[in-house]
mmCIF file of all heavy atoms in Angstrom:
data_model
loop_
_atom_site.group_PDB
_atom_site.id
_atom_site.type_symbol
_atom_site.label_atom_id
_atom_site.label_comp_id
_atom_site.label_asym_id
_atom_site.label_seq_id
_atom_site.Cartn_x
_atom_site.Cartn_y
_atom_site.Cartn_z
ATOM 1 N N HIS A 1 -2.767 1.633 -10.536
ATOM 2 C CA HIS A 1 -2.902 3.090 -10.237
ATOM 3 C C HIS A 1 -4.250 3.458 -10.538
ATOM 4 O O HIS A 1 -5.014 4.357 -9.750
ATOM 5 C CB HIS A 1 -1.901 3.917 -10.756
ATOM 6 C CG HIS A 1 -0.519 3.786 -9.873
ATOM 7 N ND1 HIS A 1 0.428 4.618 -10.091
ATOM 8 C CD2 HIS A 1 -0.159 2.860 -9.084
ATOM 9 C CE1 HIS A 1 1.442 4.178 -9.437
ATOM 10 N NE2 HIS A 1 0.958 3.041 -8.719
ATOM 11 N N LEU A 2 -4.935 2.953 -11.631
ATOM 12 C CA LEU A 2 -6.208 3.298 -11.954
ATOM 13 C C LEU A 2 -7.274 2.643 -10.928
ATOM 14 O O LEU A 2 -8.102 3.500 -10.462
ATOM 15 C CB LEU A 2 -6.605 2.838 -13.450
ATOM 16 C CG LEU A 2 -7.993 3.030 -13.916
ATOM 17 C CD1 LEU A 2 -8.441 4.422 -13.849
ATOM 18 C CD2 LEU A 2 -8.235 2.331 -15.206
ATOM 19 N N LEU A 3 -7.245 1.491 -10.676
ATOM 20 C CA LEU A 3 -8.081 0.771 -9.860
ATOM 21 C C LEU A 3 -7.968 1.118 -8.298
ATOM 22 O O LEU A 3 -8.868 0.857 -7.594
ATOM 23 C CB LEU A 3 -8.091 -0.666 -10.053
ATOM 24 C CG LEU A 3 -8.276 -1.136 -11.574
ATOM 25 C CD1 LEU A 3 -8.373 -2.568 -11.677
ATOM 26 C CD2 LEU A 3 -9.636 -0.572 -11.979
ATOM 27 N N CYS A 4 -6.857 1.667 -7.982
ATOM 28 C CA CYS A 4 -6.653 2.008 -6.655
ATOM 29 C C CYS A 4 -7.110 3.431 -6.340
ATOM 30 O O CYS A 4 -7.239 3.858 -5.117
ATOM 31 C CB CYS A 4 -5.199 1.947 -6.127
ATOM 32 S SG CYS A 4 -4.651 0.345 -5.924
ATOM 33 N N GLU A 5 -7.447 4.161 -7.398
ATOM 34 C CA GLU A 5 -8.074 5.503 -7.210
ATOM 35 C C GLU A 5 -9.079 5.603 -6.261
ATOM 36 O O GLU A 5 -9.115 6.514 -5.216
ATOM 37 C CB GLU A 5 -8.469 6.028 -8.574
ATOM 38 C CG GLU A 5 -7.284 6.596 -9.488
ATOM 39 C CD GLU A 5 -7.837 7.210 -10.808
ATOM 40 O OE1 GLU A 5 -9.061 7.239 -10.953
ATOM 41 O OE2 GLU A 5 -7.074 7.578 -11.563
ATOM 42 N N PRO A 6 -10.201 4.720 -6.279
ATOM 43 C CA PRO A 6 -11.244 4.879 -5.261
ATOM 44 C C PRO A 6 -10.745 4.562 -3.868
ATOM 45 O O PRO A 6 -11.494 4.918 -2.880
ATOM 46 C CB PRO A 6 -12.309 3.952 -5.901
ATOM 47 C CG PRO A 6 -11.682 2.967 -6.771
ATOM 48 C CD PRO A 6 -10.530 3.780 -7.280
ATOM 49 N N ILE A 7 -9.804 3.595 -3.793
ATOM 50 C CA ILE A 7 -9.258 3.149 -2.459
ATOM 51 C C ILE A 7 -8.675 4.263 -1.688
ATOM 52 O O ILE A 7 -8.958 4.575 -0.641
ATOM 53 C CB ILE A 7 -8.389 1.942 -2.610
ATOM 54 C CG1 ILE A 7 -9.083 0.822 -3.477
ATOM 55 C CG2 ILE A 7 -7.895 1.553 -1.184
ATOM 56 C CD1 ILE A 7 -10.551 0.424 -2.782
ATOM 57 N N LEU A 8 -7.741 4.963 -2.498
ATOM 58 C CA LEU A 8 -7.215 6.220 -1.984
ATOM 59 C C LEU A 8 -8.238 7.329 -1.609
ATOM 60 O O LEU A 8 -8.125 7.944 -0.612
ATOM 61 C CB LEU A 8 -6.052 6.796 -2.873
ATOM 62 C CG LEU A 8 -4.849 5.921 -3.093
ATOM 63 C CD1 LEU A 8 -3.996 6.363 -4.105
ATOM 64 C CD2 LEU A 8 -3.962 5.716 -1.829
ATOM 65 N N ASP A 9 -9.226 7.383 -2.345
ATOM 66 C CA ASP A 9 -10.338 8.351 -2.160
ATOM 67 C C ASP A 9 -10.965 7.891 -0.804
ATOM 68 O O ASP A 9 -11.467 8.957 0.015
ATOM 69 C CB ASP A 9 -11.260 8.351 -3.421
ATOM 70 C CG ASP A 9 -12.519 9.267 -3.132
ATOM 71 O OD1 ASP A 9 -12.258 10.323 -2.405
ATOM 72 O OD2 ASP A 9 -13.521 9.029 -3.636
ATOM 73 N N ALA A 10 -11.228 6.718 -0.581
ATOM 74 C CA ALA A 10 -11.942 6.291 0.633
ATOM 75 C C ALA A 10 -11.106 6.656 1.846
ATOM 76 O O ALA A 10 -11.677 7.154 2.865
ATOM 77 C CB ALA A 10 -12.108 4.704 0.553
ATOM 78 N N PHE A 11 -9.944 6.396 1.853
ATOM 79 C CA PHE A 11 -9.037 6.846 2.904
ATOM 80 C C PHE A 11 -9.060 8.440 3.274
ATOM 81 O O PHE A 11 -9.118 8.808 4.389
ATOM 82 C CB PHE A 11 -7.535 6.338 2.701
ATOM 83 C CG PHE A 11 -7.330 4.895 2.999
ATOM 84 C CD1 PHE A 11 -6.732 4.157 1.966
ATOM 85 C CD2 PHE A 11 -7.701 4.342 4.156
ATOM 86 C CE1 PHE A 11 -6.660 2.751 2.199
ATOM 87 C CE2 PHE A 11 -7.524 2.918 4.363
ATOM 88 C CZ PHE A 11 -6.980 2.164 3.393
ATOM 89 N N ASP A 12 -9.131 9.123 2.077
ATOM 90 C CA ASP A 12 -9.202 10.585 2.152
ATOM 91 C C ASP A 12 -10.421 10.952 2.730
ATOM 92 O O ASP A 12 -10.428 11.834 3.668
ATOM 93 C CB ASP A 12 -9.017 11.175 0.795
ATOM 94 C CG ASP A 12 -8.886 12.695 0.784
ATOM 95 O OD1 ASP A 12 -8.043 13.182 1.378
ATOM 96 O OD2 ASP A 12 -9.877 13.326 0.185
ATOM 97 N N ARG A 13 -11.555 10.269 2.471
ATOM 98 C CA ARG A 13 -12.911 10.626 3.092
ATOM 99 C C ARG A 13 -12.918 10.294 4.597
ATOM 100 O O ARG A 13 -13.676 10.964 5.333
ATOM 101 C CB ARG A 13 -13.912 9.721 2.351
ATOM 102 C CG ARG A 13 -14.201 10.049 0.927
ATOM 103 C CD ARG A 13 -15.108 9.036 0.255
ATOM 104 N NE ARG A 13 -15.304 9.240 -1.230
ATOM 105 C CZ ARG A 13 -16.350 9.430 -1.788
ATOM 106 N NH1 ARG A 13 -17.577 9.344 -1.226
ATOM 107 N NH2 ARG A 13 -16.401 9.680 -3.087
ATOM 108 N N LEU A 14 -12.091 9.475 4.975
ATOM 109 C CA LEU A 14 -11.969 9.087 6.379
ATOM 110 C C LEU A 14 -11.001 9.964 7.102
ATOM 111 O O LEU A 14 -10.764 9.797 8.349
ATOM 112 C CB LEU A 14 -11.510 7.610 6.617
ATOM 113 C CG LEU A 14 -12.468 6.552 5.956
ATOM 114 C CD1 LEU A 14 -11.838 5.126 5.973
ATOM 115 C CD2 LEU A 14 -13.755 6.574 7.033
ATOM 116 N N GLY A 15 -10.383 10.881 6.362
ATOM 117 C CA GLY A 15 -9.434 11.857 7.079
ATOM 118 C C GLY A 15 -8.058 11.216 7.120
ATOM 119 O O GLY A 15 -7.262 11.774 8.104
ATOM 120 N N ILE A 16 -7.812 10.181 6.368
ATOM 121 C CA ILE A 16 -6.451 9.540 6.440
ATOM 122 C C ILE A 16 -5.556 9.838 5.382
ATOM 123 O O ILE A 16 -5.977 9.697 4.166
ATOM 124 C CB ILE A 16 -6.552 7.940 6.672
ATOM 125 C CG1 ILE A 16 -7.382 7.766 7.955
ATOM 126 C CG2 ILE A 16 -5.337 7.197 6.726
ATOM 127 C CD1 ILE A 16 -7.762 6.345 8.228
ATOM 128 N N ASP A 17 -4.343 10.256 5.676
ATOM 129 C CA ASP A 17 -3.422 10.556 4.539
ATOM 130 C C ASP A 17 -2.644 9.271 4.063
ATOM 131 O O ASP A 17 -1.724 8.908 4.745
ATOM 132 C CB ASP A 17 -2.371 11.572 5.072
ATOM 133 C CG ASP A 17 -1.377 12.063 3.895
ATOM 134 O OD1 ASP A 17 -1.633 11.794 2.764
ATOM 135 O OD2 ASP A 17 -0.456 12.648 4.371
ATOM 136 N N ALA A 18 -3.272 8.527 3.158
ATOM 137 C CA ALA A 18 -2.590 7.318 2.721
ATOM 138 C C ALA A 18 -2.099 7.456 1.229
ATOM 139 O O ALA A 18 -2.864 8.159 0.417
ATOM 140 C CB ALA A 18 -3.652 6.172 2.915
ATOM 141 N N ASP A 19 -1.147 6.730 0.908
ATOM 142 C CA ASP A 19 -0.732 6.791 -0.502
ATOM 143 C C ASP A 19 0.214 5.558 -0.697
ATOM 144 O O ASP A 19 0.573 4.781 0.335
ATOM 145 C CB ASP A 19 0.180 8.067 -0.735
ATOM 146 C CG ASP A 19 0.227 8.486 -2.133
ATOM 147 O OD1 ASP A 19 -0.125 7.611 -3.065
ATOM 148 O OD2 ASP A 19 0.603 9.696 -2.457
ATOM 149 N N TYR A 20 0.659 5.284 -1.819
ATOM 150 C CA TYR A 20 1.557 4.158 -2.238
ATOM 151 C C TYR A 20 2.882 4.386 -1.399
ATOM 152 O O TYR A 20 3.372 5.565 -1.222
ATOM 153 C CB TYR A 20 2.120 4.150 -3.607
ATOM 154 C CG TYR A 20 0.750 3.995 -4.535
ATOM 155 C CD1 TYR A 20 0.257 5.065 -5.257
ATOM 156 C CD2 TYR A 20 0.001 2.788 -4.675
ATOM 157 C CE1 TYR A 20 -0.870 4.869 -6.061
ATOM 158 C CE2 TYR A 20 -0.978 2.604 -5.491
ATOM 159 C CZ TYR A 20 -1.512 3.716 -6.175
ATOM 160 O OH TYR A 20 -2.698 3.595 -6.962
ATOM 161 N N VAL A 21 3.428 3.321 -0.847
ATOM 162 C CA VAL A 21 4.763 3.458 -0.280
ATOM 163 C C VAL A 21 5.740 4.130 -1.234
ATOM 164 O O VAL A 21 5.742 3.716 -2.425
ATOM 165 C CB VAL A 21 5.232 2.066 0.251
ATOM 166 C CG1 VAL A 21 5.288 0.995 -0.844
ATOM 167 C CG2 VAL A 21 6.514 2.134 0.951
ATOM 168 N N PRO A 22 6.379 5.108 -0.808
ATOM 169 C CA PRO A 22 7.304 5.810 -1.836
ATOM 170 C C PRO A 22 8.536 5.094 -2.312
ATOM 171 O O PRO A 22 9.029 5.320 -3.474
ATOM 172 C CB PRO A 22 7.728 7.072 -0.927
ATOM 173 C CG PRO A 22 7.549 6.555 0.389
ATOM 174 C CD PRO A 22 6.539 5.616 0.566
ATOM 175 N N GLU A 23 8.997 4.052 -1.554
ATOM 176 C CA GLU A 23 10.077 3.192 -2.053
ATOM 177 C C GLU A 23 9.946 1.807 -1.444
ATOM 178 O O GLU A 23 9.417 1.605 -0.374
ATOM 179 C CB GLU A 23 11.456 3.869 -1.481
ATOM 180 C CG GLU A 23 11.596 4.074 -0.187
ATOM 181 C CD GLU A 23 12.839 4.809 0.132
ATOM 182 O OE1 GLU A 23 13.507 5.359 -0.871
ATOM 183 O OE2 GLU A 23 13.252 4.862 1.351
ATOM 184 N N SER A 24 10.582 0.846 -2.029
ATOM 185 C CA SER A 24 10.504 -0.517 -1.648
ATOM 186 C C SER A 24 10.961 -0.554 -0.087
ATOM 187 O O SER A 24 11.991 0.158 0.292
ATOM 188 C CB SER A 24 11.328 -1.414 -2.396
ATOM 189 O OG SER A 24 10.840 -1.353 -3.697
ATOM 190 N N VAL A 25 10.348 -1.599 0.613
ATOM 191 C CA VAL A 25 10.928 -1.707 2.051
ATOM 192 C C VAL A 25 11.011 -3.205 2.128
ATOM 193 O O VAL A 25 10.275 -4.038 1.771
ATOM 194 C CB VAL A 25 9.735 -1.297 3.040
ATOM 195 C CG1 VAL A 25 9.987 -1.659 4.460
ATOM 196 C CG2 VAL A 25 9.337 0.244 2.836
ATOM 197 N N PRO A 26 12.309 -3.571 2.815
ATOM 198 C CA PRO A 26 12.450 -5.011 2.955
ATOM 199 C C PRO A 26 11.488 -5.844 3.583
ATOM 200 O O PRO A 26 10.830 -5.395 4.415
ATOM 201 C CB PRO A 26 13.784 -5.037 3.584
ATOM 202 C CG PRO A 26 14.433 -3.686 3.481
ATOM 203 C CD PRO A 26 13.142 -2.705 3.418
ATOM 204 N N GLU A 27 11.404 -7.208 3.278
ATOM 205 C CA GLU A 27 10.563 -8.010 3.905
ATOM 206 C C GLU A 27 10.915 -8.361 5.375
ATOM 207 O O GLU A 27 12.158 -8.261 5.698
ATOM 208 C CB GLU A 27 10.463 -9.290 3.252
ATOM 209 C CG GLU A 27 11.731 -10.241 3.292
ATOM 210 C CD GLU A 27 11.572 -11.566 2.571
ATOM 211 O OE1 GLU A 27 11.067 -11.676 1.511
ATOM 212 O OE2 GLU A 27 11.859 -12.680 3.302
ATOM 213 N N ILE A 28 9.947 -8.767 6.221
ATOM 214 C CA ILE A 28 10.088 -9.229 7.591
ATOM 215 C C ILE A 28 10.046 -10.633 7.440
ATOM 216 O O ILE A 28 10.978 -11.554 7.962
ATOM 217 C CB ILE A 28 9.110 -8.576 8.563
ATOM 218 C CG1 ILE A 28 9.496 -7.112 8.595
ATOM 219 C CG2 ILE A 28 9.231 -9.329 9.916
ATOM 220 C CD1 ILE A 28 8.443 -6.433 9.493
ATOM 221 N N TRP A 29 8.992 -11.267 6.839
ATOM 222 C CA TRP A 29 8.842 -12.714 6.708
ATOM 223 C C TRP A 29 7.763 -12.906 5.656
ATOM 224 O O TRP A 29 6.644 -12.525 5.704
ATOM 225 C CB TRP A 29 8.294 -13.123 8.060
ATOM 226 C CG TRP A 29 8.098 -14.836 8.196
ATOM 227 C CD1 TRP A 29 9.259 -15.583 8.124
ATOM 228 C CD2 TRP A 29 6.965 -15.614 8.139
ATOM 229 N NE1 TRP A 29 8.730 -16.924 8.147
ATOM 230 C CE2 TRP A 29 7.450 -16.999 8.272
ATOM 231 C CE3 TRP A 29 5.649 -15.201 8.191
ATOM 232 C CZ2 TRP A 29 6.461 -18.034 8.210
ATOM 233 C CZ3 TRP A 29 4.742 -16.420 8.143
ATOM 234 C CH2 TRP A 29 5.265 -17.709 8.153
ATOM 235 N N SER A 30 8.292 -13.459 4.610
ATOM 236 C CA SER A 30 7.549 -13.377 3.245
ATOM 237 C C SER A 30 6.209 -14.296 3.257
ATOM 238 O O SER A 30 5.374 -13.960 2.513
ATOM 239 C CB SER A 30 8.398 -13.853 2.208
ATOM 240 O OG SER A 30 8.893 -15.067 2.264
ATOM 241 N N PRO A 31 6.100 -15.334 4.000
ATOM 242 C CA PRO A 31 4.794 -16.039 3.802
ATOM 243 C C PRO A 31 3.637 -15.246 4.350
ATOM 244 O O PRO A 31 2.483 -15.564 3.923
ATOM 245 C CB PRO A 31 5.021 -17.319 4.808
ATOM 246 C CG PRO A 31 6.437 -17.447 4.776
ATOM 247 C CD PRO A 31 7.058 -16.134 4.690
ATOM 248 N N ALA A 32 3.765 -14.248 5.103
ATOM 249 C CA ALA A 32 2.682 -13.327 5.476
ATOM 250 C C ALA A 32 2.661 -12.009 4.601
ATOM 251 O O ALA A 32 3.693 -11.291 4.610
ATOM 252 C CB ALA A 32 2.848 -12.967 6.979
ATOM 253 N N CYS A 33 1.476 -11.908 3.931
ATOM 254 C CA CYS A 33 1.542 -10.765 3.005
ATOM 255 C C CYS A 33 1.889 -9.407 3.580
ATOM 256 O O CYS A 33 2.654 -8.650 2.971
ATOM 257 C CB CYS A 33 0.104 -10.623 2.467
ATOM 258 S SG CYS A 33 -0.155 -9.274 1.292
ATOM 259 N N TYR A 34 1.289 -9.116 4.778
ATOM 260 C CA TYR A 34 1.640 -7.891 5.285
ATOM 261 C C TYR A 34 3.071 -7.671 5.906
ATOM 262 O O TYR A 34 3.445 -6.580 6.216
ATOM 263 C CB TYR A 34 0.569 -7.621 6.449
ATOM 264 C CG TYR A 34 -0.731 -6.933 5.964
ATOM 265 C CD1 TYR A 34 -1.546 -7.850 5.178
ATOM 266 C CD2 TYR A 34 -0.947 -5.639 6.008
ATOM 267 C CE1 TYR A 34 -2.711 -7.076 4.745
ATOM 268 C CE2 TYR A 34 -2.233 -5.041 5.612
ATOM 269 C CZ TYR A 34 -2.977 -5.801 4.816
ATOM 270 O OH TYR A 34 -4.021 -5.206 4.282
ATOM 271 N N LEU A 35 3.841 -8.746 5.908
ATOM 272 C CA LEU A 35 5.272 -8.704 6.277
ATOM 273 C C LEU A 35 6.146 -8.850 5.198
ATOM 274 O O LEU A 35 7.446 -8.896 5.315
ATOM 275 C CB LEU A 35 5.484 -9.781 7.372
ATOM 276 C CG LEU A 35 4.680 -9.597 8.699
ATOM 277 C CD1 LEU A 35 4.951 -10.809 9.609
ATOM 278 C CD2 LEU A 35 4.956 -8.295 9.283
ATOM 279 N N ARG A 36 5.743 -9.016 3.929
ATOM 280 C CA ARG A 36 6.485 -9.102 2.702
ATOM 281 C C ARG A 36 7.177 -7.738 2.457
ATOM 282 O O ARG A 36 6.685 -6.687 3.080
ATOM 283 C CB ARG A 36 5.751 -9.530 1.563
ATOM 284 C CG ARG A 36 5.311 -10.955 1.742
ATOM 285 C CD ARG A 36 4.312 -11.281 0.550
ATOM 286 N NE ARG A 36 4.962 -11.485 -0.720
ATOM 287 C CZ ARG A 36 5.470 -12.532 -1.271
ATOM 288 N NH1 ARG A 36 5.445 -13.651 -0.546
ATOM 289 N NH2 ARG A 36 5.999 -12.509 -2.452
ATOM 290 N N ALA A 37 7.996 -7.671 1.570
ATOM 291 C CA ALA A 37 8.753 -6.442 1.082
ATOM 292 C C ALA A 37 7.412 -5.581 0.569
ATOM 293 O O ALA A 37 6.644 -6.012 -0.178
ATOM 294 C CB ALA A 37 9.595 -6.689 0.023
ATOM 295 N N LEU A 38 7.445 -4.287 0.824
ATOM 296 C CA LEU A 38 6.571 -3.296 0.417
ATOM 297 C C LEU A 38 6.922 -2.907 -0.997
ATOM 298 O O LEU A 38 8.095 -2.566 -1.195
ATOM 299 C CB LEU A 38 6.321 -2.163 1.416
ATOM 300 C CG LEU A 38 5.808 -2.506 2.783
ATOM 301 C CD1 LEU A 38 5.527 -1.273 3.488
ATOM 302 C CD2 LEU A 38 4.708 -3.413 2.760
ATOM 303 N N HIS A 39 5.921 -2.652 -1.896
ATOM 304 C CA HIS A 39 6.185 -2.335 -3.325
ATOM 305 C C HIS A 39 5.442 -1.035 -3.552
ATOM 306 O O HIS A 39 4.280 -1.067 -3.357
ATOM 307 C CB HIS A 39 5.889 -3.453 -4.221
ATOM 308 C CG HIS A 39 6.568 -3.311 -5.633
ATOM 309 N ND1 HIS A 39 6.057 -2.395 -6.478
ATOM 310 C CD2 HIS A 39 7.475 -4.036 -6.136
ATOM 311 C CE1 HIS A 39 6.702 -2.339 -7.617
ATOM 312 N NE2 HIS A 39 7.565 -3.465 -7.437
ATOM 313 N N PRO A 40 6.064 -0.198 -4.277
ATOM 314 C CA PRO A 40 5.355 1.089 -4.642
ATOM 315 C C PRO A 40 4.192 0.865 -5.497
ATOM 316 O O PRO A 40 3.291 1.775 -5.624
ATOM 317 C CB PRO A 40 6.339 2.061 -5.096
ATOM 318 C CG PRO A 40 7.684 1.452 -4.746
ATOM 319 C CD PRO A 40 7.456 0.012 -4.453
ATOM 320 N N ALA A 41 4.120 -0.175 -6.379
ATOM 321 C CA ALA A 41 3.097 -0.454 -7.262
ATOM 322 C C ALA A 41 1.642 -0.482 -6.585
ATOM 323 O O ALA A 41 0.659 -0.136 -7.127
ATOM 324 C CB ALA A 41 3.418 -1.668 -8.158
ATOM 325 N N HIS A 42 1.628 -1.296 -5.458
ATOM 326 C CA HIS A 42 0.357 -1.620 -4.871
ATOM 327 C C HIS A 42 0.087 -1.700 -3.447
ATOM 328 O O HIS A 42 -0.782 -2.018 -3.052
ATOM 329 C CB HIS A 42 -0.060 -2.958 -5.555
ATOM 330 C CG HIS A 42 0.916 -4.088 -5.399
ATOM 331 N ND1 HIS A 42 1.430 -4.612 -4.299
ATOM 332 C CD2 HIS A 42 1.873 -4.520 -6.316
ATOM 333 C CE1 HIS A 42 2.420 -5.429 -4.432
ATOM 334 N NE2 HIS A 42 2.756 -5.487 -5.784
ATOM 335 N N ASP A 43 1.330 -1.427 -2.720
ATOM 336 C CA ASP A 43 1.043 -1.363 -1.259
ATOM 337 C C ASP A 43 0.864 0.068 -0.875
ATOM 338 O O ASP A 43 1.598 1.022 -1.121
ATOM 339 C CB ASP A 43 2.476 -1.883 -0.624
ATOM 340 C CG ASP A 43 2.496 -3.319 -0.812
ATOM 341 O OD1 ASP A 43 1.616 -4.069 -0.583
ATOM 342 O OD2 ASP A 43 3.716 -3.831 -1.159
ATOM 343 N N ILE A 44 -0.158 0.254 -0.050
ATOM 344 C CA ILE A 44 -0.576 1.597 0.403
ATOM 345 C C ILE A 44 -0.306 1.657 1.913
ATOM 346 O O ILE A 44 -0.571 0.758 2.736
ATOM 347 C CB ILE A 44 -2.153 1.711 0.207
ATOM 348 C CG1 ILE A 44 -2.427 1.786 -1.354
ATOM 349 C CG2 ILE A 44 -2.553 2.967 0.889
ATOM 350 C CD1 ILE A 44 -3.888 1.935 -1.748
ATOM 351 N N VAL A 45 0.326 2.842 2.318
ATOM 352 C CA VAL A 45 0.777 3.002 3.647
ATOM 353 C C VAL A 45 0.090 4.314 4.261
ATOM 354 O O VAL A 45 -0.357 5.122 3.357
ATOM 355 C CB VAL A 45 2.297 3.020 3.764
ATOM 356 C CG1 VAL A 45 2.945 1.830 3.331
ATOM 357 C CG2 VAL A 45 2.847 4.278 2.975
#
């Protein structure tokens, strides 16, 4: 959360409302990172 502060700030500068996913989301296909289960710790949506 400390190191993602500037990443969230960057999205804000672009006018995009981005934040950590509020709750876990099930995987679609785990070998692909973007299709794995989403985790509130480090996945930004």
Side-chain angles (χ1 to χ4, degrees):
H1 284 191
L2 172 62
L3 298 182
C4 282
E5 284 179 4
I7 303 309
L8 292 172
D9 179 33
F11 285 124
D12 186 61
R13 292 169 188 239
L14 294 167
I16 294 172
D17 183 15
D19 206 344
Y20 303 104
V21 62
E23 58 186 10
S24 296
V25 177
E27 70 175 47
I28 295 174
W29 190 67
S30 64
C33 180
Y34 274 72
L35 299 178
R36 291 170 71 89
L38 300 187
H39 195 288
H42 46 75
D43 287 316
I44 294 175
V45 298

